[in-house]
Amino acid sequence: MFASVWYGHFHSPLGLLRAGLVTVFGLTISACSTTTPADPVTLEPAIAPPSVALVLGGGGAKGFAHVGVIKALEENGIKPTMVVGTSVGSLIGSLYASGYTPAQLEQLALTTSDSQLTDFTISNQGFVEGIKLKNFINNKVNAKAIEAFPISFAAVAAEKHTLKKAVFTTGDAGLAVQASCSVPNIFIAPRIPEKVGKKYVDGGVVSLVPVDSARDLGADIVIAVDVTTAQNNGATVNNPLTIRSLSDFWGFLETNIVSPATNQRTSSMRRERDRADIVITPNMGHISSIDTRQRRHLIEAGSQATTPHISAIKQLIQEKFKSKYATL
């Protein structure tokens, strides 16, 4: 059957005519559907926006001002691509980098009690264990590792025995913050990795406002926040007697910025801070109290200190973007 059909279509004169028409029609369609190759399009290389690091320094209770700085930056459309923190700066910075909004940070700042963060123990290495702090952070960031944060994050600490600076950019966020906040002789220094690693103490021992660490991590622009310096007379206003009770977690953190530091160390830290592109120094006078009302004052002080720098920050970002474009 198939043979007769084939024969009928292609061996009769009518079949040959049909075959010819089909062939011509097919060639016509083929010719019509053939498109002329488009001229090659030269695509401009994508320009990455400048990397903007927000560097949050240590300073105990005054660290609540960091929340106000973050709030003011975001209200003006400025969102850092990197957060680097020491001590209380690492605590607040880790939460922000993990995805907390300024409003959520403010709520946490106003409602978190010392008892949620402070666990006492009897030891010749210190009297605050730090496990509560580690668990608090890991609970709030949903146990995400640092490298999984939507904003790049680094916590600065110091090796206990060598006082060599350590910058943690991966791994257990709570453990890194615990290390960064472990004031010597008050907190028991944690090991990283746990149980087998080296011991680490508060980053404020070596880098109170870790500007250089942000540069080392590739920041194009560094916005540093120093909460240890009052604007009046440029004097340091820290006092070890700001601890008001044995449950004063924030006061404990504040003791690491008083002067076991030598003048040379203080001068070195000040020079590091001043290597930032923008330095924000909230004017908090002698505020050390941490009741809810004072926390609001500290947050507001951070916002107020940031607002005058907004135009300069935006200009820096624009200039850095243009300079990147010019090098292509």
Side-chain angles (χ1 to χ4, degrees):
M1 176 181 174
F2 293 106
S4 63
V5 171
W6 182 87
Y7 182 88
H9 276 292
F10 293 102
H11 284 72
S12 69
L14 182 58
L16 289 172
L17 177 61
R18 286 176 178 169
L21 289 173
V22 168
T23 303
V24 172
F25 184 63
L27 290 173
T28 304
I29 292 175
S30 175
C32 292
S33 63
T34 302
T35 57
T36 304
D39 293 332
V41 177
T42 304
L43 297 175
E44 291 291 339
I47 307 170
S51 173
V52 180
L54 178 62
V55 173
L56 305 178
K62 295 181 181 69
F64 286 109
H66 292 321
V67 176
V69 172
I70 292 166
K71 187 177 176 182
L73 289 174
E74 288 224 358
E75 284 174 351
N76 287 277
I78 300 167
K79 192 175 182 75
T81 54
M82 178 192 306
V83 178
V84 182
T86 287
S87 197
V88 68
S90 77
L91 193 162
I92 292 171
S94 67
L95 297 171
Y96 178 49
S98 75
Y100 277 70
T101 65
Q104 289 170 328
L105 281 177
E106 186 169 13
Q107 181 64 18
L108 262 184
L110 296 175
T111 58
T112 301
S113 66
D114 286 22
S115 62
Q116 291 176 265
L117 303 170
T118 315
D119 44 4
F120 294 101
T121 187
I122 299 173
S123 169
N124 59 7
Q125 300 177 53
F127 54 87
V128 179
E129 196 167 8
I131 303 300
K132 268 194 175 182
L133 170 60
K134 179 186 74 171
N135 291 342
F136 175 86
I137 294 296
N138 282 334
N139 177 261
K140 296 302 180 186
V141 305
N142 294 319
K144 283 187 289 191
I146 293 172
E147 60 269 30
F149 287 0
I151 299 175
S152 296
F153 173 69
V156 176
E159 288 184 25
K160 181 179 180 180
H161 299 297
T162 64
L163 295 187
K164 181 181 178 181
K165 182 172 71 173
V167 182
F168 297 104
T169 58
T170 60
D172 187 316
L175 185 58
V177 171
Q178 179 190 359
S180 185
C181 293
S182 289
V183 177
N185 304 317
I186 294 179
F187 289 76
I188 296 176
R191 292 182 183 273
I192 300 178
E194 287 186 287
K195 298 182 180 178
V196 297
K198 295 177 181 178
K199 291 183 177 182
Y200 292 91
V201 296
D202 193 306
V205 172
V206 291
S207 184
L208 192 58
V209 186
V211 170
D212 292 347
S213 298
R215 296 284 190 206
D216 292 342
L217 291 168
D220 295 314
I221 297 167
V222 176
I223 304 166
V225 187
D226 182 359
V227 296
T228 68
T229 304
Q231 290 175 335
N232 17 333
N233 304 322
T236 300
V237 295
N238 308 303
N239 184 337
L241 300 179
T242 53
I243 298 177
R244 286 161 299 286
S245 75
L246 285 178
S247 65
D248 189 353
F249 174 83
W250 308 101
F252 294 152
L253 294 187
E254 208 162 337
T255 62
N256 202 36
I257 54 175
V258 256
S259 68
T262 62
N263 288 335
Q264 183 179 3
R265 174 180 159 233
T266 303
S267 176
S268 173
M269 288 190 183
R270 181 62 56 85
R271 287 196 301 272
E272 179 183 11
R273 185 204 73 172
D274 291 344
R275 285 192 283 273
D277 297 289
I278 300 287
V279 179
I280 299 171
T281 54
N283 186 5
M284 297 173 285
H286 292 271
I287 296 175
S288 282
S289 176
I290 57 161
D291 62 36
T292 301
R293 180 179 166 189
Q294 294 289 16
R295 292 187 190 191
R296 289 187 188 278
H297 288 331
L298 291 164
I299 293 168
E300 183 58 29
S303 293
Q304 289 177 353
T306 305
T307 302
H309 295 283
I310 294 299
S311 294
I313 294 169
K314 287 184 175 180
Q315 185 176 350
L316 267 173
I317 294 171
Q318 187 176 30
E319 288 173 357
K320 187 63 69 172
F321 187 85
K322 284 181 179 177
S323 68
K324 279 192 167 191
Y325 186 84
T327 59
L328 294 177

